[in-house]
Amino acid sequence: MPHCLVPAAEEILDREFPVLNKGFVRLVDYLGGDERIVQAARVSYGEGTKSYREDAALIDHLLRNEHTSPFEQVVLTFHVKLPIFVARQWIRHRTARVNEISGRYSVMKDDFYLPTEEAVALQSEDNKQGRSPEPVSRELAQGTIARLEEAQNSAYAGYTELVGAGLARELARIDLPLSLYTEWFWQIDLHNLFRFLQLRLDPHAQLEIREYARALLDISRLVAPAATASFENHILGGARFSREELAELRRRLGEAGLAEAGGRAEAPELKGKKLERFEEKLRSGRQL
């Protein structure tokens, strides 16, 4: 299968897409784009690339019906600079190949993440792992940022002192905070990249990793525009309903809608958290 060059992807190779205060994402290399997906899908019966419209329709059909293997033929390699606490969330996606900078071999740079004032918030009252959507006062935000920066400077000064005294780097690094930036090469196929984006662009994901996911999405649009457009339409901008939720949807459509949707629903009306999740799906459509 020949290498499929994508002019838009060629133009952004090695270009840094800034993220947060000191981070970035850049596309180092890629293998194929929309054309590669089409070739993989049609190889079984020997038909090659057709018109763009026909190819886009085929890609949309594949994604809509969860025929995932052709999307795995497209592979992207990224160089990412990110805070360690973001990296520890990111690495939970075990469908990629990763090579990270080592603090045992390298002296770590004096690069730390500091949130903007808008990103400073209190603990959410109804989400144990998230922050409240309500902003804090400017005084509290500025005081929080100043305290974080002071702790970072103190930790790095101690690290530098230990390294300068000849202490092993693998020991000197252990008190460095999670806000320190690390770097890695991250290689992943398009199918699993879409899965990463589906989870990390969700409003419930942490703000900082969502910023990286937006940069990855921007790059994906250039490497495989038809596939990414289909992904945004069916997955990012769509919603999957459970049987109970479909029953609720039919109930709200009324008698005319019931006939079209397949008959009267017998499930009880949704309440509590189930109703909240259903209402959230009706409002879905990610703000990117």
Side-chain angles (χ1 to χ4, degrees), residues 43-63:
V43 71
S44 61
Y45 52 95
E47 294 190 33
T49 303
K50 297 184 178 181
S51 70
Y52 176 81
R53 184 175 180 180
E54 289 175 301
D55 288 347
L58 172 58
I59 289 171
D60 192 71
H61 169 81
L62 293 170
L63 189 138

Side-chain angles (χ1 to χ4, degrees), residues 180-198:
L180 181 75
Y181 275 89
T182 185
E183 296 184 36
W184 61 30
F185 268 35
W186 190 65
Q187 185 184 77
I188 191 167
D189 66 68
L190 190 62
H191 164 61
N192 283 298
L193 176 59
F194 283 164
R195 178 60 177 162
F196 176 95
L197 294 175
Q198 178 186 1

Side-chain angles (χ1 to χ4, degrees), residues 81 84 96 105 131 149 158 176 226 236 272 274 282:
K81 181 178 179 180
I84 291 174
Y105 299 102
R131 68 193 79 176
E149 186 173 21
L176 289 173
L236 282 188
K274 288 185 177 181
L282 294 182

Side-chain angles (χ1 to χ4, degrees), residues 12 21 112 116 127 173 232 265 280:
I12 64 164
N21 62 328
F112 294 91
T116 62
N127 181 359
R173 65 179 177 164
E232 292 187 76
E280 186 175 347

Side-chain angles (χ1 to χ4, degrees), residues 129-225:
Q129 61 178 6
R131 68 193 79 176
S132 169
E134 301 298 325
V136 300
S137 67
R138 186 177 184 186
E139 180 182 9
L140 177 56
Q142 291 179 341
T144 299
I145 294 169
R147 186 165 185 175
L148 290 172
E149 186 173 21
E150 180 182 4
Q152 292 167 357
N153 291 338
S154 176
Y156 194 79
Y159 168 72
T160 303
E161 182 179 342
L162 293 174
V163 170
L167 192 72
R169 288 186 289 271
E170 66 180 23
L171 289 173
R173 65 179 177 164
I174 63 177
D175 275 350
L176 289 173
L178 292 173
S179 56
L180 181 75
Y181 275 89
T182 185
E183 296 184 36
W184 61 30
F185 268 35
W186 190 65
Q187 185 184 77
I188 191 167
D189 66 68
L190 190 62
H191 164 61
N192 283 298
L193 176 59
F194 283 164
R195 178 60 177 162
F196 176 95
L197 294 175
Q198 178 186 1
L199 295 173
R200 296 308 179 177
L201 286 170
D202 188 278
H204 297 98
Q206 186 164 344
L207 180 150
E208 287 79 9
I209 201 168
R210 293 204 310 266
E211 293 298 311
Y212 282 92
R214 289 189 181 97
L216 294 171
L217 179 63
D218 287 341
I219 294 172
S220 300
R221 289 175 177 140
L222 297 172
V223 175

